[in-house]
Amino acid sequence: MRFSNWPNKLTALWLAVLSLVGIVLLSMWFSKSIHIQTNIFALLPELSQDQQLEQTQHYVSEQLNNKVFVLLDAKDETQLNQATVQFKQQVQKSQLWQPLQAQVDTAAIGKVLFEHRAGLLRADDVQALTNQDYAALTEQGLLQIMSPGLPITADFLRQDPLLLFPRYVLNLSQQQHSAVEMQEGFATVHDERGWSRLFVLELKQSPYNIDYQEQSSDWMQTVEQKLAALDVKLHWTGTLRFASYGTHSAQQEISTIGLGSSLGILLLVWFGFRSLRPMLTEFIAVTTGSLVAFTVTHLVFGEIHLVTLVFGASLIGVCVDFSYYFMAIQSQHRGHNGFLILKPLLPSLFMGLLTTLVAYVFLSISPFPGFKQIAVFSMVGLVSAWITSILLLPRLPALNAALAIRTLRFIGHAREYFQTHKSLRWGSIATILVLGVTSLFWLKPNDQIQNLQSMDQQLKQEDQYIRERFSQQQSSDYFVVRGETTAELEQHEQQLIAQLNQLKTQAKLQGFQALGQWIPSAVEQRQHISLLQNIPKDVLREYAASMQLDAHDVLAWQAQLATQPILTLDQMKQHPLAFLQRTPTERLVMLQGIEQLDALKALNSPNVQLLQPVQSLSDLFKQHRIQAQWLLVAAMITLALGLGWVYGRAAILPLVLPVTLALISTFAVQAWLGVEINLFSLMGTFLIIGIGVDYAIFYRHGHDHAQVVGMALFLCMMSTFFGFGLLAFSQTYAIHCFGLTVLLGVVFAFIYATLFTSSDAKHVVMKKIQSEH
């Protein structure tokens, strides 16, 4: 009776804890302090590099993430212009975007360049001046003035008699894509496929804000419908679009997992106990665990990730293992007090909880914030659900599991057959080991970061179409150029530009974007002016005579060169590439169409560094996957030592062998199926360890009720099958790998625990229940 008093006290205490959690959760809700994170890359650890590079990567990421690129396709120019007007109006009416600005004000930029033209020369002219090949320089002027379609006025000739500036501007335009024109300040293309115009919308909020994603999606659909009346088609791309799809996909998966798991468990509990009451009790337990886990996780991390909820929807469901086991035993003692039945089962149930928690502890050791959060959520949720179950279920009348036990008696017969035929048992173990271990040599890893996020094929095609239409095969790689001073920075950038131009001519790089292409360094501009000042006056007089110019005007032009202003970034802030200057001593050079990466890596120096954010994260995945492999070995050793300390050395092999075989078989099957493993696959193995050892413990201690244990664990395995089976069909490759690994692992763990785990006659449950009664 002393034991029976404790449940009431513990229940009162647990209800007080749940009430406190409810108050905290409600206060968070009403204060709107709950933050659901949807940025998939928030799951990742920070890269191990210097702080400046981290800041640079964050800066580049922000520049790309806060934009949505919109392409309008029309059959003719009239349609496109009408659509442009209407699109501008829709943007202006909406409160979702920053005011729409022209991408390039060509007139303003042209004016600035002309006002600072003195030091702006194309490379051929600089070469001619350096070699004092003045004849070539003057010949270029003569050819230009004789070229049809080039309006040259007398006033322009007085300001630029050698026509250096038109050649400089022509050279700049040749560096750009000739098919792209700037019309009304926006990039426009027209060819045999029709007319296309590109707009860039700047976000007002984070692209990972769920409400903002929904509002922008609705707005996009409305705009598409309005412009469809003009027979104009829109294409969209940008982080907001991909993040919105990821959020929608995750929400769908949460619903699917919840519905699928509920239907699966519904069928299981009806099959097992001919009652739907366990659905209610499990709902109470899992809901309690989820709410407590949500509150604690949010308090610890300041937010909770949507992926954590996706995983948590299945992971907390592991608590049904304990419920099924208890209800199956209780069904055999229908007239007994529930807490008296619980008492002899508590050691096994508690050890089952501990082994699963150990798995989550090792999961939390991972440096990935996402895994830490999932581990905390799952540990808190599992403990809470377990406490709710053991305090609730014994208070309820026993259910009838006789039919399920009779139906599944073949499980007990199979176990008994293997237990009595030791040669068959050890022969099967040896065969599994040989086949499994040899199959592991065919297993291949895949550490690509792109596998982390679900990607809709249509969004991919839209993104690729926009890039292809405007010949912008932008790479995620870029150079960071630094200098102690601005002058040194400009010098290093010009050296890099020269090297990249060589790679372009060698077809090792399709293109690049750099501020130095538009703004030569101040030193370089002064050198150009000096070269122009060194032109002999006789050469200028002869040139003036051949061009029928006033020699006095030409000489006056040369004399005033020293007073001409130098072009700096301050005058070019409206240029679309101005963002490439992050600080006065750091610039970025964006790369396009990399053909030979090694050639670019060879350009690295103390002042010039190639950054590959995507590849760096993939390398980080590989590094942590290798660490996880060793962590897995450590977990198995720790588990073996812990079980040996609790149950004795003789229990280590029976309890550890089934889960070891399950891990080997899981990866062997994946090797046969051609499934590549990654960090998420390995993290799934820690759950296999926790769940699989539970099966072995229950069989080890249930020799006097093997048929009941077999039926209960079959239901446990099937409930896990439904939960993780749905994860295995996730559109996100990482979740798919995690779910598939756990799915295969628990099935194998159940089979091997049933067939190979030997019983321990010291543990007697049924007689203890009888004696307690």
Side-chain angles (χ1 to χ4, degrees):
M1 294 299 296
R2 183 179 300 175
F3 180 80
S4 64
N5 290 331
W6 277 105
N8 295 330
K9 297 178 182 179
L10 290 175
T11 301
L13 178 61
W14 184 236
L15 289 174
V17 172
L18 294 180
S19 299
L20 178 62
V21 169
I23 293 172
V24 173
L25 192 58
L26 286 174
S27 65
M28 292 167 60
W29 175 266
F30 286 114
S31 64
K32 297 183 179 180
S33 59
I34 294 177
H35 180 213
I36 306 296
Q37 176 63 263
T38 63
N39 181 3
I40 198 72
F41 294 103
L43 297 170
L44 305 178
E46 297 290 338
L47 291 174
S48 301
Q49 57 189 18
D50 65 64
Q51 187 175 2
Q52 275 189 307
L53 288 180
E54 288 183 9
Q55 293 174 351
T56 300
Q57 288 196 198
H58 180 73
Y59 171 80
V60 174
S61 177
E62 288 297 312
Q63 290 293 323
L64 297 177
N65 289 347
N66 70 348
K67 292 180 175 63
V68 169
F69 300 89
V70 190
L71 180 65
L72 272 60
D73 273 348
K75 294 180 180 179
D76 55 50
E77 187 176 7
T78 303
Q79 282 183 340
L80 184 63
N81 289 336
Q82 291 175 349
T84 298
V85 172
Q86 191 160 345
F87 182 77
K88 287 181 178 179
Q89 291 174 350
Q90 294 298 321
V91 174
Q92 188 175 6
K93 291 179 183 177
S94 172
Q95 300 298 317
L96 298 172
W97 319 102
Q98 301 289 351
L100 184 61
Q101 302 290 337
Q103 296 163 13
V104 180
D105 188 341
T106 52
I109 291 179
K111 181 180 178 182
V112 170
L113 291 176
F114 185 74
E115 290 172 350
H116 300 80
R117 65 189 176 279
L120 304 179
L121 301 176
R122 72 170 184 173
D124 290 347
D125 290 339
V126 174
Q127 189 65 38
L129 288 168
T130 304
N131 297 336
Q132 297 183 358
D133 186 2
Y134 302 119
L137 194 69
T138 55
E139 285 175 7
Q140 286 294 324
L142 287 169
L143 289 173
Q144 274 189 274
I145 202 169
M146 294 172 62
S147 299
L150 186 63
I152 302 295
T153 64
D155 184 60
F156 187 90
L157 283 170
R158 280 192 294 272
Q159 297 179 73
D160 186 13
L162 296 179
L163 299 177
L164 300 168
F165 183 71
R167 295 202 291 276
Y168 173 76
V169 173
L170 180 63
N171 184 63
L172 282 180
S173 65
Q174 290 174 347
Q175 293 180 15
Q176 311 308 310
H177 301 286
S178 57
V180 180
E181 301 176 2
M182 299 306 300
Q183 295 185 4
E184 300 185 24
F186 300 99
T188 306
V189 173
H190 61 92
D191 51 25
E192 66 279 359
R193 290 188 287 179
W195 289 71
S196 300
R197 182 164 292 161
L198 183 66
F199 297 88
V200 180
L201 301 178
E202 291 195 21
L203 280 58
K204 280 190 174 181
Q205 300 183 41
S206 167
Y208 305 106
N209 183 300
I210 298 178
D211 292 336
Y212 189 60
Q213 290 173 2
E214 294 177 353
Q215 294 169 7
S216 61
S217 295
D218 293 340
W219 181 85
M220 291 175 189
Q221 291 179 1
T222 302
V223 173
E224 285 182 352
Q225 293 172 358
K226 289 182 178 296
L227 295 188
L230 299 175
D231 199 18
V232 172
K233 186 176 181 181
L234 282 79
H235 305 270
W236 313 79
T237 191
T239 301
L240 177 66
R241 292 283 285 175
F242 291 109
S244 180
Y245 173 79
T247 301
H248 181 67
S249 175
Q251 289 173 336
Q252 281 189 326
E253 288 178 5
I254 291 175
S255 301
T256 303
I257 291 168
L259 178 61
S261 297
S262 299
L263 290 176
I265 293 175
L266 179 66
L267 295 174
L268 283 174
V269 297
W270 181 258
F271 167 75
F273 304 102
R274 286 302 183 269
S275 171
L276 297 182
R277 192 192 75 191
M279 285 295 296
L280 177 61
T281 56
E282 292 311 312
F283 175 78
I284 294 173
V286 173
T287 301
T288 300
S290 298
L291 292 177
V292 175
F294 184 96
T295 305
V296 173
T297 305
H298 199 285
L299 291 174
V300 171
F301 294 93
E303 64 181 18
I304 192 164
H305 203 286
L306 199 60
V307 172
T308 300
L309 299 179
V310 174
F311 278 103
S314 289
L315 299 183
I316 292 181
V318 174
C319 71
V320 300
D321 292 7
F322 314 124
S323 302
Y324 288 159
Y325 183 55
F326 170 80
M327 288 187 293
I329 299 297
Q330 187 188 32
S331 70
Q332 303 301 294
H333 305 277
R334 301 169 63 84
H336 291 57
N337 179 277
F339 286 104
L340 292 179
I341 297 173
L342 176 65
K343 184 176 180 181
L345 297 179
L346 266 180
S348 297
L349 293 176
F350 186 68
M351 282 303 300
L353 173 66
L354 284 183
T355 55
T356 307
L357 290 179
V358 168
Y360 290 122
V361 168
F362 276 93
L363 192 65
S364 68
I365 296 176
S366 166
F368 280 66
F371 282 128
K372 291 180 184 292
Q373 193 177 106
I374 291 170
V376 170
F377 186 96
S378 300
M379 284 190 290
V380 174
L382 182 58
V383 171
S384 302
W386 187 86
I387 293 174
T388 300
S389 293
I390 65 169
L391 292 177
L392 173 63
L393 293 177
R395 300 178 184 276
L396 302 175
L399 298 174
N400 185 9
L403 180 60
I405 294 174
R406 287 198 303 270
T407 304
L408 297 175
R409 61 182 179 273
F410 69 89
I411 297 175
H413 294 330
R415 170 175 170 77
E416 183 180 355
Y417 186 81
F418 267 78
Q419 292 293 315
T420 55
H421 294 76
K422 292 186 178 180
S423 58
L424 175 61
R425 181 163 51 129
W426 289 109
S428 300
I429 292 173
T431 302
I432 293 170
L433 283 173
V434 172
L435 289 177
V437 172
T438 54
S439 298
L440 296 182
F441 291 101
W442 301 98
L443 197 62
K444 296 180 181 179
N446 185 342
D447 303 303
Q448 294 302 309
I449 184 63
Q450 292 88 341
N451 295 330
L452 183 62
Q453 189 169 19
S454 57
M455 192 72 71
D456 180 60
Q457 193 61 33
Q458 183 179 354
L459 289 181
K460 277 177 151 182
Q461 293 172 354
E462 292 270 291
D463 180 76
Q464 184 60 32
Y465 174 75
I466 293 176
R467 292 176 182 273
E468 179 270 332
R469 194 77 173 111
F470 284 85
S471 302
Q472 293 291 321
Q473 297 302 320
Q474 190 77 31
S475 168
S476 61
D477 302 342
Y478 53 90
F479 278 102
V480 179
V481 185
R482 292 175 181 163
E484 294 295 331
T485 62
T486 301
E488 187 177 316
L489 169 66
E490 293 173 342
Q491 179 184 359
H492 294 156
E493 185 192 37
Q494 289 300 325
Q495 292 173 352
L496 177 62
I497 289 174
Q499 293 170 326
L500 293 178
N501 280 326
Q502 289 181 357
L503 295 183
K504 279 182 62 179
T505 59
Q506 297 169 4
K508 297 179 180 179
L509 178 70
Q510 292 182 12
F512 62 95
Q513 292 180 326
L515 267 177
Q517 293 172 298
W518 287 83
I519 310 174
S521 67
V523 173
E524 191 175 0
Q525 292 182 63
R526 293 190 181 94
Q527 290 175 347
H528 293 170
I529 292 174
S530 178
L531 290 172
L532 293 174
Q533 289 174 320
N534 291 336
I535 300 176
K537 291 180 173 50
D538 292 341
V539 172
L540 292 177
R541 292 190 184 96
E542 183 179 346
Y543 173 74
S546 62
M547 295 280 287
Q548 297 181 355
L549 300 175
D550 188 340
H552 177 73
D553 290 341
V554 176
L555 293 175
W557 162 79
Q558 185 185 44
Q560 55 82 43
L561 285 172
T563 62
Q564 293 299 303
I566 298 297
L567 181 65
T568 64
L569 184 61
D570 290 336
Q571 291 89 33
M572 294 288 283
K573 286 183 178 179
Q574 73 274 34
H575 195 280
L577 295 182
F579 78 95
L580 294 179
Q581 175 114 14
R582 194 179 79 84
T583 68
T585 57
E586 181 178 290
R587 282 186 180 179
L588 310 174
V589 177
M590 311 303 293
L591 304 175
Q592 298 171 343
I594 298 174
E595 302 295 341
Q596 291 190 19
L597 183 60
D598 290 340
L600 292 169
K601 289 182 177 180
L603 302 182
N604 277 328
S605 70
N607 300 303
V608 177
Q609 187 167 355
L610 176 66
L611 285 191
Q612 300 176 271
V614 174
Q615 186 58 45
S616 297
L617 284 174
S618 296
D619 293 340
L620 189 64
F621 261 53
K622 179 179 179 180
Q623 174 187 343
H624 290 308
R625 174 179 57 78
I626 296 173
Q627 291 178 355
Q629 293 172 350
W630 291 108
L631 196 63
L632 178 61
V633 175
M636 291 299 296
I637 294 175
T638 302
L639 182 65
L641 293 176
L643 292 173
W645 179 69
V646 174
Y647 296 115
R649 286 180 295 178
I652 293 178
L653 184 61
L655 294 178
V656 174
L657 179 63
V659 74
T660 303
L661 294 176
L663 292 175
I664 294 174
S665 300
T666 296
F667 288 117
V669 170
Q670 292 186 346
W672 298 339
L673 296 176
V675 177
E676 298 167 322
I677 66 164
N678 52 37
L679 178 62
F680 294 89
S681 303
L682 287 172
M683 288 305 170
T685 61
F686 295 103
L687 298 186
I688 296 174
I689 293 173
I691 297 172
V693 171
D694 290 352
Y695 297 161
I697 289 175
F698 293 150
Y699 271 124
R700 177 80 169 165
H701 297 168
H703 72 95
D704 60 340
H705 53 287
Q707 298 285 357
V708 180
V709 175
M711 168 267 187
L713 295 189
F714 176 80
L715 296 184
C716 295
M717 182 270 293
M718 288 302 298
S719 65
T720 307
F721 178 91
F722 281 114
F724 289 103
L726 291 174
L727 283 181
F729 289 100
S730 170
Q731 296 182 17
T732 303
Y733 188 71
I735 298 178
H736 160 75
C737 291
F738 185 94
L740 181 62
T741 300
V742 178
L743 170 63
L744 294 173
V746 296
V747 172
F748 282 122
F750 169 75
I751 294 173
Y752 296 154
T754 300
L755 301 180
F756 304 142
T757 301
S758 57
S759 300
D760 185 0
K762 295 179 182 179
H763 292 269
V764 181
V765 173
M766 294 296 188
K767 290 182 179 180
K768 284 186 177 181
I769 295 175
Q770 296 291 343
S771 63
E772 289 286 343
H773 182 66

